[in-house]
Amino acid sequence: MLQFILRRVFYMIPTLFVISLVSFAIIQLPPGDYLTSLVASMAATGETVDRAALAALEQRYGLGQPVYVQYWKWISGILLHGDFGQSFEWNQPVSTLLWGRLALTFMISLFTLFFTWIVAFPIGIFSAVRQYSWGDYVATIIGYVGLAIPNFLIALILMYVAFKFFNQSVGGLFSPEYQDAAWDWAKLWDLFKHLWIPVVIIGTAGTAGLIRIMRANLLDELHKPYVVTARAKGLSEERLLLKYPVRVALNPFVSTVGWTLPALVSGEAIVSIVLSLPTTGPLLLRALMSQDMYLAGSFIMLLSTLTVIGTLLSDVLLAWLDPRIRLTQ
Amino acid sequence: MTTEVQPVSRENKQTGRPIEPVQPEHALQDSESRVYVASQYTLMWRKFRKHRLAMFGGIVTIAIYLVVIFAEFLAPFPSSAFSSQYTYAPPQPLHLFDETPDGMRFAPYVNGYKVEIDPVALRRTFVVDPEEKIPVSFFTRGTPYKMWWLFKSDIHLVGPIEYDADPDRIKIPVYLLGADRLGRDVLSRMIYGTRISMTIGLVGVALSFLLGITLGGISGYYGGGLDNIIQRAIEFLRSIPTIPLWMGLAAALPSSWSPLQVFFGITIILSLIGWTGLARVVRGRFLALRTEDFVMSARLDGNSEFRTIMVHMVPSFFSHIIASLTLSIPGMILAETSLSFLGLGLRSPVVSWGVLLQEAQNIRSVATAPWLLVPGLAVVVAVLALNFLGDGLRDAADPYGR
Amino acid sequence: MAGETLLELKNLKTQFFTDDGVVRAVDGVSFEMKRGETLCVVGESGCGKSVTARSILQIVDYPGRVVEGQILFHRQRQEEGKSEVNEIIDLAALDPRSRAIRDVRGKDISMIFQEPMTSLSPIHTIGDQIIEAIRLHLPVSKEEAEARAVELLRRVGIPRPGDRLNAYTFQLSGGMRQRAMIAMSLSCNPSLLIADEPTTALDVTTQAQILDLMRELKDEFGMSIMLITHDLGVVAEMADDVVVMYLGTVAEKGDVDSIFHDPKHPYTQALLRSIPKLGLRAQGIRLDSIRGMVPDPYNRPGGCPYHTRCDDFMPGLCDKITPPPIEMGEERLVRCLLYGDQKAMADQTQQTVKVR
């Protein structure tokens, strides 16, 4: 098992390297470099440009030097000093802007993951066991519709309904009085009161997809010979169902974390923009719009990295659940 | 059993019925022989037709693509025609019959607007004025256009009888689905948006298809090191959240690009990430087929590798590919819609569903003009229809399955 | 004990209700099994032999179900403080989900299947699955059940049974898996073991070992075996009695010697002709095969189901009359119009035509 985990971690390294390359490319893609933008923005606000500071920055980022030198300076800054560069729009180091929002993003994504599981698992089982029943049709239709509505549209409609009929705003994660307050239990409770709205919105598509997967997996398993064997032993249908086919169908279900997690993080980004949540989405959009590329690039890199780590965790969980993976590799 | 060919009149001694000489002698039951001799495509079509949702999805999909083709004819106004007079005008219901001196007659009309000033918000609001009638007509003359850049015409499916040929203005208000912030007709814009959104789906899928079948094919057919590299690439692309990446790449498109360049830029970005699913399907099929006897015998017969792949392998999983293609169009549409909605995708004056929904981005405009969300309905209908169709195709692609 | 009736099937009908119509997989099957005997049910694939076996335990897959007939099982029960009680239960009358049928499954009648790889759960250990079967029916502690499982594994010839308890199916060879499967089926001393093509998926040497093992265990555990197979070699080696099935009906039954040496039904004759024999090729004789295919299950031929492929087909008779079971001596039965009074039957047809 330990060997398995080590190997997976080892496999992850090239992926992370490529992620850093892509993020760096995104930073580099817009015409002009960071300094030019900085000078332009300082000139626009009427600040005087400090030549010495400029030279220091040029040295710091290796500007004007070959691309690989710039990449090395950038990535080593991150790895060795946790220095993600400077956001010129906010005039702050990227790292101070990053972590709080990233934490909220992943909290929402994880909650959504649990939400989708809790909802999809029983419905999927029901749908498969009572195939072609009323409940199955309803679940299937909800599933299709859930997949077809873009996240942001659900968010918009929900906002409209809340505004029009309840005269309430559903945006944000905190009530105004807690907005800038320090963390305490009251603030945490306030957060949870707001959290369910984005969780449900982001979870819709994922839940729909998972119901379909659980249903299909279980339908495959329900007619396997080992189920007949278990039935021939004299097990009751309920015990049999939970012990054998559901348990076997759980494995591909767990392995879907590998792609639901990226989808959830994606969904979170766009929904939080609509609902103006204080997470990565709005800040990333703003950074991209104003070409604040160190901030944008860092966000993309960290979102991807954390997703890859999440996928790794789900792989480990899967190996723990499934002896075929654990023992044959 | 003898197999000599005899005249048609030869009878089966067991059933006494005349049989075709080519039929095996143990005269299959009728229905049975229909199953045995039906071609693969006949079987697929039969299985597909049983799938009612898929049939429905197929019909809706065809209807949507008809809208794509005949957008100029179907839209009452050009997509950019505006009117400073009727900003955020609500939808006018279309009445088909009118009270005339001779009784109820077919005389379509819409009601005009009355302007009221909201005393609190100090805003103009429109209410439909039941007194005023604006006569409209079907197959009527309107703004001239050039169909498919080829034929000049000015016939529109529906429009006001009195019209103004100025392509930039709407003088006579006929807003069947309401007007937006600039007094543009939401219905017309949605129809033109259909063209762009559905095309981007097709073009994007075509590009993904090229990438997917090439890389997936190489991966599955040759295996080994190349396969490994391509698989790692696929895993990589699937393990990162797409929307932030799309956002980053889309934001990097130069702002100096023309709308057409942006269109292709966005399509390429979408398909760069979207090809992985197809590549997986293709690779899986190749792996399964590589060891099949008919592929081996094709190779031993001296077929070139290219010929083996194109003539012997691809046709046997072509139907699966078609199904996967259909199922990946919705993803493209949703992705384009999301990006454009965020303002990172297509830009005005190009009109797509996402660009239209951008108008509805803040709660204030949605609250004043909820009809701005109607293009969202188009997205949902299109995605649903394509999903139904794709699922039906996928089931039918395996006609021998259960 | 031997010679007593253990199981009687009377006019059993099992049908599958599919979208395309009703498949009459088992269409009026009757036969009897004695205690301690081995009965082989033979036939081509699709003849309903597996469905017959599954009908006995009421584990036919949806959309199939037993629609008619009786499955009388003579159960011996050791009741508390009393001597053995003999009771007869009609398994066909029990609800497939009921407690009563579940008490029979795995305890009085157990079953093993063709594919030992897929017939055991891939993600549970062998031990887990055997112990479950034991504890389901016997009031024993976990430790006792474990000890019994080890004992069973040893008995079926699995080396190092204590370690194997924690093994998963994919860690065992095909033969070992089938042995584990047999161990599981023996866990509650069943009086009947139904083996559905138990050796088909195994290679020839392993086949022989498994068959030997089953024969040994039969005597040791004092049980009867119903062996479902398409392999006439296996039948010759194992059977006391043979039931030949064709298209959901019993074509012929009798003891193994008379079936092999004096087959009556043209189908049985054809089956026997299609066994490869050594030396035939040198003599320039080609192996016989039964011409045609098994008819489409949705469109069963009228009259005798075999008439479309029969060499002795009699037009006007075989395609009109469903042959009744004709007794041919003791415990011997054939359903073919070649035997018995043809004229009487022809008259009978006339009548049935009139009645219609």
Side-chain angles (χ1 to χ4, degrees), chain A residues 144, chain B residues 48 51 53-54 56-57 383-393:
Chain A
Y144 269 119
Chain B
F48 180 75
H51 206 309
L53 271 182
F56 176 71
V383 171
L384 268 180
L386 284 164
N387 270 326
F388 287 149
L389 176 65
D391 274 1
L393 287 176

Side-chain angles (χ1 to χ4, degrees), chain A residues 6 124 286:
Chain A
L6 284 179
R286 211 168 134 186

Side-chain angles (χ1 to χ4, degrees), chain B residues 279-345:
Chain B
R280 281 200 160 181
V281 174
V282 174
R283 173 175 178 269
R285 289 281 132 192
F286 264 110
L287 280 182
L289 286 178
R290 200 167 46 163
T291 50
E292 289 279 335
D293 292 342
F294 75 92
V295 173
M296 181 59 80
S297 61
R299 222 177 289 164
L300 292 177
D301 282 349
N303 283 298
S304 70
E305 251 171 36
F306 183 76
R307 201 184 139 79
T308 311
I309 294 177
M310 296 316 287
V311 177
H312 296 279
M313 295 175 80
V314 171
S316 68
F317 61 83
F318 194 65
S319 44
H320 287 267
I321 300 278
I322 295 288
S324 317
L325 281 178
T326 314
L327 283 174
S328 47
I329 299 178
M332 291 280 166
I333 293 176
L334 286 177
E336 182 277 323
T337 308
S338 303
L339 275 185
S340 303
F341 171 75
L342 291 178
L344 291 168

Side-chain angles (χ1 to χ4, degrees), chain A residues 5-22:
Chain A
I5 297 175
L6 284 179
R7 188 171 29 228
R8 292 311 306 240
V9 172
F10 186 72
Y11 279 158
M12 209 172 77
I13 293 171
T15 310
L16 293 180
F17 174 66
V18 178
I19 289 177
S20 76
L21 281 185
V22 171

Side-chain angles (χ1 to χ4, degrees), chain B residues 237-271:
Chain B
L237 285 172
R238 287 178 84 96
S239 65
I240 50 179
T242 45
I243 285 191
L245 191 63
W246 272 327
M247 284 167 71
L249 290 174
L253 295 181
S255 47
S256 56
W257 276 16
S258 74
L260 195 69
Q261 281 172 311
V262 173
F263 175 88
F264 281 108
I266 294 289
T267 320
I268 289 169
I269 289 172
L270 295 185
S271 49

Side-chain angles (χ1 to χ4, degrees), chain C residues 105-230:
Chain C
R105 291 180 192 157
K107 184 166 191 301
D108 300 300
I109 304 178
S110 59
M111 195 158 172
I112 59 176
F113 299 92
Q114 178 174 345
E115 247 306 334
M117 177 72 190
T118 50
S119 297
L120 289 167
S121 163
I123 55 165
H124 295 91
T125 58
I126 305 287
D128 180 342
Q129 297 177 64
I130 298 179
I131 291 168
E132 180 186 39
I134 297 171
R135 305 231 322 159
L136 208 55
H137 298 292
L138 302 177
V140 292
S141 71
K142 212 171 169 208
E143 289 70 33
E144 289 170 306
E146 204 174 303
R148 181 164 170 79
V150 173
E151 191 41 53
L152 284 165
L153 287 178
R154 175 173 298 123
R155 181 59 203 91
V156 297
I158 290 182
R160 291 188 292 120
D163 297 343
R164 290 292 183 233
L165 223 47
N166 297 316
Y168 292 92
T169 44
F170 58 86
Q171 294 171 309
L172 300 178
S173 69
M176 285 299 144
R177 274 178 219 140
Q178 196 58 292
R179 282 169 197 266
M181 189 79 199
I182 292 173
M184 188 165 91
S185 69
L186 296 178
S187 53
C188 302
N189 284 328
S191 43
L192 172 61
L193 173 67
I194 303 176
D196 187 358
E197 307 248 7
T199 56
T200 311
L202 305 175
D203 62 71
V204 185
T205 39
T206 322
Q207 267 186 27
Q209 291 169 3
I210 294 289
L211 290 176
D212 281 343
L213 176 68
M214 283 175 61
R215 218 170 7 213
E216 279 171 45
L217 292 170
K218 187 191 92 151
D219 297 333
E220 190 177 322
F221 284 74
M223 60 186 180
S224 314
I225 294 180
M226 180 187 291
L227 188 60
I228 315 292
T229 183
H230 64 266

